[in-house]
Amino acid sequence: MTITPPALSVFETLESEVRSYCRGWPAVFDRAQGARLTDEDGHSYLDFFAGAGSLNYGHNNPVLKRALIDYIERDGITHGLDMATTAKRAFLETFENVILRPRDLPYKVMFPGPTGTNAVEAALKLARKVKGRESVVSFTNAFHGMSLGSLAVTGNAFKRAGAGIPLVHGTPMPFDNYFDGTVPDFLWFERLLEDQGSGLNKPAAVIVETVQGEGGINVARAEWLRALQSLCHRQDMLLIVDDIQMGCGRTGGFFSFEEAGIVPDIVTLSKSISGYGMPMSLCLFKGELDIWEPGEHNGTFRGNNPAFVTAAASLDAYWADGQMEKQTLARGEQVEQTMLAICGEEPTAQFRGRGLVWGLEFTDPERASAVCARAFELGLLLETSGPQSEVVKLLPPLTITPEELDEGLRTLARCVRETA
């Protein structure tokens, strides 16, 4: 099947030029269920993007949809600021019982606003307030959001340039394997911290992604993350893990840092925490860090109660029995076998990933874009990532069936062959 792009008149004439995903997927989408979207002409697309990781349980998940419809039909609270509601209580109790307590995680829960960058801004603000310092260390190729504080700890030059003003109080350090193993971990970072002449202000915190999604699916080793936590403890810095895209089961465990056996001081969650693609984010932090004054950080839409409903339902449905993690790891092995086969035939490609997030990197950056374009023509939604868009990024729903996953992987392999 080859899909012919439709006329997109009103989008091209009225909507801002800032739109991006729609340029790679020139279709008018109308319906979606599970791992598939359907456009207004009836063409079906297999979704290997899942709302940039915000649809881990698929589109219009029937369990979550039923909970949401029931809540709306009984006139449950929709907008609640930070007021106490039954929906918020149910979510907090479920989150504590299903996620925090079984993992012995000592976190308080903050609702900072509806998006991931809201959670990052809250995390940075809290870290600076707790430590009384301004500087925050981030890592090469990091991505933490598009608001100014988040951009200051983001690596991508194109996105940083959009700020239009200097981005200050953030210092980048090399991410794991940045020097291809030729330099000992944290040699530069620790030397700067200990040298009174280095010019590095004592940081309040370090912010890190365990897998850099937008940065090119760069996977930090568990031992590197453990060493980073140790460094933070020795140097009196807070460790912030941005789990916005890689949390909620994307890498296997509910939190992506579980595999490393670390306990960050602060964790940010968004994207799939609502379970249904609705705006919601959390900033989690150890109890002793909860020094906020009432109202010191707020947001009009931090009380999105329908999102609390679907979030609680997703935890009950997928995380109460431990099966989701096993399923995701099994699906990941399925992806890895295909990646091995593709790279065995294509010498200019290499791959990396964990769970159900994978990247296929090409020596020629234009090749990744060509693969994604051909995939769209064949009814598969793929996106690129990396500083030069050189990586084909795979983010299928965690609930995808083995048959659907195999279908998409076969299409990917075909696209790699046809763009050679």
Side-chain angles (χ1 to χ4, degrees), residues 106-258:
Y107 295 138
K108 298 289 288 290
V109 179
M110 175 184 178
F111 300 99
T115 71
T117 199
N118 292 135
V120 170
E121 295 285 354
L124 299 177
K125 186 189 291 188
L126 179 61
R128 288 169 170 140
K129 179 178 173 67
V130 168
K131 292 299 183 183
R133 309 179 206 132
E134 296 175 350
S135 177
V136 173
V137 165
S138 57
F139 290 94
T140 50
N141 291 310
F143 178 79
H144 296 290
M146 299 296 280
S147 51
L148 294 180
S150 300
L151 276 178
V153 290
T154 287
N156 186 282
F158 173 73
K159 292 179 172 64
R160 289 175 63 89
I165 61 171
L167 296 171
V168 297
H169 308 307
T171 303
M173 291 292 165
F175 191 70
D176 190 15
N177 205 39
Y178 188 72
F179 293 111
D180 298 320
T182 61
V183 177
D185 295 337
F186 308 114
L187 175 66
W188 173 242
F189 190 1
E190 198 146 20
R191 184 73 59 83
L192 291 180
L193 288 169
E194 294 173 352
D195 183 358
Q196 296 300 307
S198 71
L200 175 65
N201 294 332
K202 181 77 172 183
V206 174
I207 185 168
V208 67
E209 304 155 273
T210 66
V211 180
Q212 294 181 326
E214 296 302 309
I217 317 301
N218 305 312
V219 182
R221 293 166 296 140
E223 55 266 34
W224 186 86
L225 292 168
R226 288 192 289 269
L228 176 60
Q229 177 177 258
S230 177
L231 175 61
C232 287
H233 288 171
R234 292 197 309 273
Q235 296 287 347
D236 187 34
M237 303 178 296
L238 297 178
L239 176 60
I240 305 169
V241 168
D242 180 341
D243 233 4
I244 287 166
Q245 187 167 84
M246 298 303 155
C248 302
R250 176 54 58 181
T251 64
F254 186 84
F255 294 104
S256 70
F257 55 81
E258 291 180 47

Side-chain angles (χ1 to χ4, degrees), residues 8 36 48 71 133 149 179 223 300 309 350 357 359 387 394:
L8 301 172
R36 297 186 186 273
F48 267 34
Y71 184 76
R133 309 179 206 132
F179 293 111
E223 55 266 34
T300 302
V309 171
Q350 59 180 330
V357 51
L394 278 66

